[in-house]
Amino acid sequence: MLKEDCLFCKIIKGEIPSAKVYEDDKMLVFKDIEPKANVHLLAVPKDHFKLLSEMDGGRAELLAHMLEKIPQIAAENGCGNGFRLVINQGADAGQTVFHLHIHVLGGQELGW
Ligand code: 5GP
Ligand code: ZN
């Protein structure tokens, strides 16, 4: 799929609306449209790449930035008691959107 057709790139550009909770020059965090927990946020890097397996030095730095910011963003959005991060990679994990994203799940006790 072309980057131009990527759903999350369109959300980042504001071409598709989303419920944004945080934005900086490197990342956007918005509410998942089909929440799987009381709080379900998606953190996406503004730089488009598809898979965790495409990680390189620059992208690892970007991911580190995201991981540094997420705890406070999670706490401010109802996950003060804890949260779970999930990155789906590929078909077996059920990845449906091929723009790297971190699921932030919380707002309740999470089972497996
Ligand atoms: P994946 O399964 O690829 O890891 O996760 C993709 C996530 O994107 C799913 O949890 C799905 O509910 C969410 N999603 C799909 N389309 C949209 C959309 O248009 N807006 C928002 N906010 N979330 C979406
Ligand atoms: Zn994209």
Side-chain angles (χ1 to χ4, degrees), residues 7-8 30-34 36 88 94 96-97 101 103:
L7 174 66
F8 288 172
F30 53 95
K31 294 183 183 175
D32 196 294
I33 206 166
E34 233 178 87
K36 279 85 180 173
N88 289 322
T96 57
V97 179
H101 51 282
H103 295 261

Side-chain angles (χ1 to χ4, degrees), residues 8-44:
F8 288 172
C9 281
K10 286 182 179 168
I11 286 178
I12 289 162
K13 283 187 271 181
E15 293 171 7
I16 291 176
S18 69
K20 294 179 191 178
V21 302
Y22 177 83
E23 181 166 18
D24 64 25
D25 58 327
K26 298 186 180 73
M27 72 185 286
L28 179 68
V29 184
F30 53 95
K31 294 183 183 175
D32 196 294
I33 206 166
E34 233 178 87
K36 279 85 180 173
N38 286 345
V39 178
H40 187 170
L41 307 175
L42 297 171
V44 301

Side-chain angles (χ1 to χ4, degrees), residues 28-82:
L28 179 68
V29 184
F30 53 95
K31 294 183 183 175
D32 196 294
I33 206 166
E34 233 178 87
K36 279 85 180 173
N38 286 345
V39 178
H40 187 170
L41 307 175
L42 297 171
V44 301
K46 288 190 170 175
D47 179 27
H48 173 97
F49 62 104
K50 298 186 191 71
L51 299 162
L52 189 63
S53 56
E54 295 173 357
M55 193 58 55
D56 61 18
R59 288 169 179 165
E61 217 171 277
L62 191 54
L63 201 66
H65 171 79
M66 294 172 72
L67 291 173
E68 189 181 337
K69 294 287 178 191
I70 282 171
Q72 191 183 340
I73 297 164
E76 287 168 359
N77 285 277
C79 298
N81 229 17

